[in-house]
Amino acid sequence: MIFEYILNGTGWSDVKLKINDCECVFNPSYVSEPLGDLVDSLLEMIPGFIPEDELMTNVTFHWDEEPTIVRWNFIRQGSELLKIKVTTYDDDLSNEKVELNELCNFNAFVNEVVKALEKMLSKHGIVGYKETWSGSDFPISGYLKLKHYIDGNKKYSIKTLNGDEGKTSDLSIEISTLTSLGSQIS
């Protein structure tokens, strides 16, 4: 399995996905928020990372390639499998084509996404990503949660503060994760 996500200039990216013998390439633009939507969709399918009543087994999101639209559909099948169906069509909903319709290991796919996120962070940094991706932020919170999950942790530690003060996470763990990523590229 291969998942690559590379920024190729201001507001454009090159994405390669290979599962089994099926391979496809996409070029989403800044008109959509492709990386954030991908990360958020995966998190919606992981128990312990969102409220139990919001857990999804079927998630769909879209990328805009101007003028082509890429529709992603994730269907979680049990605890280990993920069916990924990717369909492209013109923005007027014509010329629909299934690009990929494959079953894979859920954790293996998430791991590939985490590796792609880490390569992007290593190359661009958090601020550099925003400057390259036409002003949108890197999905740092989503990356930290997916990394936590892949490292074998079943639930991200979020605590409620007193009263209406909101919630808190462990900043030292988050900084440690980013620091260890930084030391890998030194």
Side-chain angles (χ1 to χ4, degrees), residues 56-71:
M56 305 292 284
T57 56
N58 189 331
V59 179
T60 300
F61 59 96
H62 298 83
W63 289 358
D64 197 328
E65 291 186 317
E66 299 180 63
T68 303
I69 304 296
V70 181
R71 180 179 55 230

Side-chain angles (χ1 to χ4, degrees), residues 122 179-186:
S122 297
T179 302
S180 69
L181 175 61
S183 67
Q184 293 173 17
I185 60 171
S186 300

Side-chain angles (χ1 to χ4, degrees), residues 4-182:
E4 296 174 348
Y5 193 109
I6 300 166
L7 300 183
N8 70 7
T10 303
W12 288 93
S13 57
D14 295 326
V15 180
K16 177 181 176 181
L17 175 61
K18 182 178 182 187
I19 299 175
N20 303 319
D21 293 328
C22 187
E23 182 175 326
C24 43
V25 176
F26 307 105
N27 302 103
S29 78
Y30 69 95
V31 173
S32 54
E33 194 51 56
L35 193 58
D37 290 344
L38 171 70
V39 168
D40 289 344
S41 294
L42 290 171
L43 287 170
E44 289 177 5
M45 303 180 96
I46 302 174
F49 285 74
I50 63 168
E52 197 64 33
D53 62 337
E54 295 176 22
L55 189 63
M56 305 292 284
T57 56
N58 189 331
V59 179
T60 300
F61 59 96
H62 298 83
W63 289 358
D64 197 328
E65 291 186 317
E66 299 180 63
T68 303
I69 304 296
V70 181
R71 180 179 55 230
W72 290 74
N73 181 234
F74 291 156
I75 301 172
R76 190 89 190 251
Q77 297 183 348
S79 62
E80 294 184 17
L81 297 177
L82 178 67
K83 183 172 186 167
I84 301 175
K85 183 175 181 182
V86 183
T87 308
T88 57
Y89 55 92
D90 294 336
D91 58 5
D92 65 358
L93 304 179
S94 65
N95 298 321
E96 186 169 314
K97 178 182 175 192
V98 175
E99 303 288 342
L100 182 134
N101 191 13
E102 296 290 326
L103 196 60
C104 65
N105 179 279
F106 181 79
N107 288 350
F109 181 71
V110 172
N111 190 56
E112 286 296 308
V113 171
V114 167
K115 288 191 309 189
L117 292 169
E118 290 176 339
K119 284 180 184 177
M120 217 174 321
L121 272 175
S122 297
K123 181 175 182 178
H124 297 283
I126 296 168
V127 175
Y129 174 90
K130 182 173 183 164
E131 295 296 317
T132 304
W133 187 247
S134 192
S136 293
D137 286 316
F138 182 85
I140 193 72
S141 173
Y143 159 71
L144 289 168
K145 288 178 179 180
L146 289 178
K147 176 69 172 166
H148 184 81
Y149 171 74
I150 284 302
D151 287 348
N153 300 296
K154 298 299 180 206
K155 186 174 183 178
Y156 202 83
S157 180
I158 302 288
K159 296 178 182 163
T160 301
L161 296 171
N162 294 331
D164 290 334
E165 294 181 48
K167 301 191 182 277
T168 187
S169 57
D170 191 331
L171 184 59
S172 64
I173 292 173
E174 295 164 350
I175 290 173
S176 174
T177 300
L178 294 173
T179 302
S180 69
L181 175 61

